[in-house]
Amino acid sequence: QVQLVESGGGSVQAGGSLTLSCAASGGTFSDLAMGWFRQAPGAEREFVATISRNGRGRYYADSVKGRFTISRDNAKNTVYLQMDSLKPEDTGVYYCASTVTVWMTIIRTRSGEYDNWGQGTQVTVSP
């Protein structure tokens, strides 16, 4: 069973930046495609970004494209989400998720495709 622990959330003003980290343990990190999702109050969880096992496949939600960057360090068993030009609508709890994939470049964008989830980290962006 893979355990995921997010960190790096906080409160920032619009236009600011934050970097989220997700540390994985209990599995072989390089076997995992990773994803970030978020959930705003009263809303459903939504996809934010995903990265393939080898980091060559990346995909973003339209709402964050050009502002967020997902990356991973397989030597540190960690995936990151660099968030720039933050907007109030980016506010929510951000979750890290993982799933085993056979192919190195496969990405996953749907929450149901992920097997393991972190506890979430709060991001609040004020106007």
Side-chain angles (χ1 to χ4, degrees):
Q1 184 79 0
V2 174
Q3 291 84 44
L4 304 171
V5 179
E6 302 98 332
S7 61
S11 297
V12 296
Q13 290 190 323
S17 297
L18 282 174
T19 300
L20 305 183
S21 299
C22 172
S25 62
T28 302
F29 188 68
S30 59
D31 287 346
L32 304 173
M34 303 297 295
W36 286 98
F37 291 76
R38 67 186 180 189
Q39 187 166 20
E44 292 187 355
R45 190 173 299 187
E46 65 174 0
F47 166 76
V48 175
T50 181
I51 188 167
S52 64
R53 290 173 55 186
N54 63 3
R56 294 179 182 176
R58 307 183 192 194
Y59 189 78
Y60 300 90
D62 287 343
S63 58
V64 307
K65 202 171 294 183
R67 300 187 297 121
F68 290 12
T69 302
I70 189 170
S71 63
R72 66 189 293 159
D73 186 336
N74 285 356
K76 295 183 178 180
N77 292 352
T78 302
V79 63
Y80 306 95
L81 186 68
Q82 173 68 39
M83 305 186 294
D84 298 317
S85 303
L86 282 161
K87 304 175 181 179
E89 51 263 44
D90 294 319
T91 294
V93 178
Y94 282 69
Y95 297 92
C96 172
S98 71
T99 185
V100 174
T101 60
V102 174
W103 304 107
M104 297 288 281
T105 57
I106 288 293
I107 55 173
R108 298 285 186 230
T109 62
R110 293 179 291 183
S111 59
E113 296 177 304
Y114 287 86
D115 305 310
N116 297 288
W117 293 81
Q119 82 290 348
T121 185
Q122 177 70 45
V123 171
T124 303
V125 184
S126 57

